[in-house]
Amino acid sequence: MANSLFEEKLYSDKFLVTSEVGPPKGMDVADMVHHIDLLKDKVDAINITDHQSSVMRFPSLGGCLLVKERGGEPIFQVTCRDRNRLAIQADLLLACSRGIQNVLCLTGDSIDVGDHKEAKPVFDLDSVQLLRTIKTMESGKDLGGSDFKGSPKFCVGASVHPEADFIEPQLIKFEKKVAAGAQFFQTQGIFGLESLRRFMQYASQFEVKILAGIIVLSSARMAQYMNDNVPGIIVPQPIIDELSSAGKGKGLQKGMEIAARLVRTIKEENLCHGVHIMAVGNEGIVPDILEMAQIVGAAP
Amino acid sequence: MIVAQQKPLEEIRRLIAPYEKILILGCGTCVTVCGAGGEREVSFLHGALRVAQVKGGDGVHAFLEYTVKRQCDREFLDPLGDRVSEVDAILSLGCGVGVQVVAERFPDVPALPGVNTSFMGATEQGGVWDERCAACGDCRLAETAGICPITRCTKGILNGPCAGTKNGKCEANKDIDCAWVLIYKRLESLGQLDKIRRYYPPRNFRTIPRPRRLAGITSIDLGGSNG
């Protein structure tokens, strides 16, 4: 039996669509709830980010609880940046006890890119070790070797970067994640289909599901900013030029068109098992992109 | 060696403010090599403090200067005895170890740090030092082509690069090489890529229970019954 609704869909032939919601800075969750409500019936699962870009926010686990309350399917993003192995295991137990069983295991961005630059970076575990930690927990033990009274079950995912400018060590790490039990991968934002095709030629030898990460850009300036400041992201010049060609105030519309075009082609050409749409602050437009890409809402 | 950097003059002036007679104490080992606290820096700092107090109009301090061969060994501090009895505080330009050994050796006189101890590093070029060792107590350089991921990767991770590396540089600082790119390339040229393919379990932080003590090292362990 599947550990979650998302896991059940993962092993169907369905083209999967996930998206993400970033928790707010502070207690006012009204916008987050609004975005969850907009997305919950249109996507197969909603990722809740974990202090993305190392900017301190309302917690991922809190956001996942809200997704559950609203009747959606959450993916709990867990980074290794802020918690040691005790705290991570405890949060995973709490998550599972509340029916949050999809987990995306990430190393986490560097503290230096965020808004608490003087904080202590933890990184007691890395992403591969985190995946193995979950497998250990599922076997009924904690990392100290003690037995659990009541073991958790999860559906575990990880991230991979098909457009990394030096791909070989990234692929080795991908294989370590597969060996550590990752069932699905949501890729870093990709912009070129050629790199996705190349990656899938390689990745299809592994029994894992790949969801292509699609970042919705809202202007040429944002694309340039991401190239300069966001870890790992490389927006190619033709995409920046296309965004520049949009009239004043039409950048987001153009960005949505680009995203929808990528999503549609990926689905039509069956390039991978699904997409993960990251609208970075514009979560409300994800349903429009799905419509533009002619994706029908997530069927239960 | 241990690399340190002299504290800003204003901070040193605040530290010494409550005291009248001050011994500026240099160290002849690591901090001499990295130009933070050797005999020459003691003399420069002495001059700078005198100028500053003349300019500031608060000429209350009297300074002595002296540099020992090593502040981290008590026996090298013995010749200081008489000088210390004359002063109200010792401004040590030794590393954090030196300051503490001085404090233990002379319990009645406040020991103040004049440098910030930065790291264990190597000379990159004249006046530039790079951190190379985190003293983690569990050296794994054999597995990482002689390049330390704990020290040189900003996240200190063990199973390969994060996805933040761009142009071979670290996401935390575009001027710093990604340690894992360096490790991959060197392992590749050594024909040892199997080492990066292995899984490395979480670090054992019991190798660094603070404070650490290393005792009973009297000879090299050769292993087996021949040791």
Side-chain angles (χ1 to χ4, degrees):
Chain A
M1 205 187 96
N3 290 323
S4 71
L5 193 58
F6 179 67
E7 187 176 57
E8 203 176 308
K9 289 181 179 176
L10 211 52
Y11 297 110
S12 70
D13 287 335
K14 187 179 188 308
F15 183 78
L16 296 159
V17 180
T18 57
S19 188
E20 69 177 30
V21 172
K25 181 77 118 179
M27 301 272 288
D28 184 349
V29 296
D31 281 350
M32 180 166 49
V33 169
H34 172 65
H35 290 141
I36 290 168
D37 284 347
L38 269 178
L39 292 172
K40 67 183 163 107
D41 298 320
K42 302 225 160 66
V43 299
D44 298 300
I46 302 172
N47 286 48
I48 302 292
T49 53
D50 182 10
H51 308 298
Q52 72 264 35
S53 301
S54 306
V55 172
M56 186 272 149
R57 290 164 186 275
F58 190 85
S60 171
L61 188 48
C64 290
L65 287 169
L66 283 172
V67 175
K68 289 297 281 187
E69 278 173 26
R70 310 302 291 184
E73 178 76 359
I75 296 178
F76 177 25
Q77 292 199 183
V78 178
T79 72
C80 301
R81 179 190 52 234
D82 311 311
R83 285 163 290 190
N84 71 2
R85 63 193 86 174
L86 278 77
I88 286 179
Q89 290 177 97
D91 278 0
L92 286 165
L93 289 178
L94 171 56
C96 187
S97 76
R98 302 296 293 269
I100 297 159
Q101 288 170 283
N102 309 308
V103 182
L104 186 74
C105 300
L106 304 165
T107 297
D109 288 333
S110 160
I111 284 280
D112 304 72
V113 304
D115 69 348
H116 283 59
K117 295 186 199 298
E118 295 183 359
K120 181 176 187 179
V122 179
F123 301 109
D124 185 23
L125 304 177
D126 63 29
S127 52
V128 183
Q129 293 160 349
L130 173 56
L131 284 160
R132 289 201 179 233
T133 297
I134 291 180
K135 290 295 141 195
T136 303
M137 293 174 74
E138 287 183 327
S139 78
K141 287 187 183 299
D142 68 14
L143 280 187
S146 302
D147 290 329
F148 279 140
K149 189 176 170 188
S151 320
K153 289 284 175 218
F154 295 102
C155 170
V156 289
S159 140
V160 62
H161 194 2
E163 290 189 348
D165 56 6
F166 186 43
I167 192 79
E168 289 84 355
Q170 299 289 339
L171 298 183
I172 289 175
K173 193 154 188 189
F174 169 78
E175 290 182 33
K176 284 188 175 188
K177 290 176 179 181
V178 174
Q183 297 165 264
F184 69 94
F185 284 82
Q186 291 171 317
T187 77
Q188 298 274 337
I190 57 136
F191 297 95
L193 291 173
E194 265 324 297
S195 53
L196 181 62
R197 282 193 190 97
R198 238 186 347 264
F199 174 71
M200 287 308 296
Q201 257 175 11
Y202 152 84
S204 56
Q205 64 184 301
F206 303 99
E207 290 288 316
V208 292
K209 305 292 180 175
I210 309 288
L211 281 67
I214 306 292
I215 294 176
V216 187
L217 298 164
S218 58
S219 66
R221 236 181 88 201
M222 176 200 182
Q224 196 56 55
Y225 176 86
M226 293 188 89
N227 276 352
D228 294 341
N229 297 292
V230 179
I233 299 292
I234 304 161
V235 185
Q237 194 57 42
I239 298 268
I240 299 180
D241 293 343
E242 192 176 347
L243 285 161
S244 302
S245 74
K248 206 170 154 49
K250 301 248 174 67
L252 180 58
Q253 183 60 34
K254 181 57 80 183
M256 290 166 69
E257 281 169 31
I258 294 169
R261 189 173 70 213
L262 285 167
V263 171
R264 195 169 56 236
T265 314
I266 289 168
K267 182 164 191 257
E268 279 172 8
E269 296 186 21
N270 209 11
L271 291 182
C272 61
H273 308 101
V275 288
H276 174 59
I277 302 173
M278 296 169 272
V280 209
N282 290 309
E283 285 91 338
I285 52 135
V286 172
D288 302 319
I289 292 172
L290 294 177
E291 202 167 301
M292 289 159 75
Q294 293 158 13
I295 302 269
V296 189
Chain B
M1 67 171 169
I2 293 172
V3 178
Q5 196 174 22
Q6 204 167 94
K7 282 178 175 287
L9 192 65
E10 280 314 302
E11 185 181 345
I12 291 176
R13 292 188 72 202
R14 279 197 300 278
L15 290 176
I16 65 171
Y19 311 104
E20 196 181 324
K21 284 190 85 173
I22 291 144
L23 170 62
I24 307 174
L25 183 62
C27 179
T29 316
C30 307
V31 290
T32 294
V33 181
C34 70
E39 194 168 9
R40 197 176 62 130
E41 290 74 34
V42 166
S43 169
F44 286 171
L45 179 63
H46 185 176
L49 287 168
R50 289 175 75 101
V51 169
Q53 78 177 9
V54 168
K55 273 190 182 166
D58 53 353
V60 292
H61 303 296
F63 298 101
L64 294 177
E65 55 179 87
Y66 196 79
T67 297
V68 295
K69 190 167 183 186
R70 278 210 297 277
Q71 288 190 21
C72 57
D73 268 327
R74 283 186 188 83
E75 62 195 80
F76 286 99
L77 299 176
D78 287 343
L80 279 175
D82 289 346
R83 289 181 181 81
V84 172
S85 61
E86 291 172 29
V87 299
D88 303 314
I90 301 169
L91 176 64
S92 162
L93 299 194
C95 69
V97 181
V99 179
Q100 293 184 68
V101 175
V102 168
E104 287 162 20
R105 174 66 181 75
F106 304 108
D108 300 328
V109 183
L112 312 168
V115 305
N116 290 321
T117 307
S118 305
F119 51 77
M120 278 187 280
T123 308
E124 171 59 27
Q125 51 176 285
V128 179
W129 293 271
D130 281 340
E131 185 175 15
R132 284 292 180 266
C133 178
C136 73
D138 183 20
C139 192
R140 49 185 76 231
L141 286 166
E143 292 149 351
T144 55
I147 296 161
C148 177
I150 289 167
T151 314
R152 299 178 67 179
C153 162
T154 185
K155 300 173 187 177
I157 53 178
L158 302 182
N159 282 293
C162 70
T165 170
K166 246 187 240 185
N167 304 317
K169 300 294 178 183
C170 174
E171 71 178 31
N173 184 337
K174 289 171 190 149
D175 295 328
I176 292 178
D177 291 327
C178 168
W180 280 104
V181 168
L182 298 178
I183 291 169
Y184 178 90
K185 288 184 171 167
R186 185 129 198 269
L187 284 175
E188 187 179 36
S189 69
L190 293 170
Q192 296 183 351
L193 280 176
D194 58 304
K195 290 184 173 174
I196 198 175
R197 289 183 178 278
R198 273 178 222 153
Y199 169 68
Y200 296 98
R203 274 176 68 188
N204 173 9
F205 283 89
R206 291 193 77 188
T207 59
I208 49 168
R210 291 213 156 91
R212 287 175 270 178
R213 168 170 281 184
L214 199 59
I217 309 297
T218 51
S219 63
I220 296 171
D221 178 7
L222 297 173
S225 54
N226 300 324

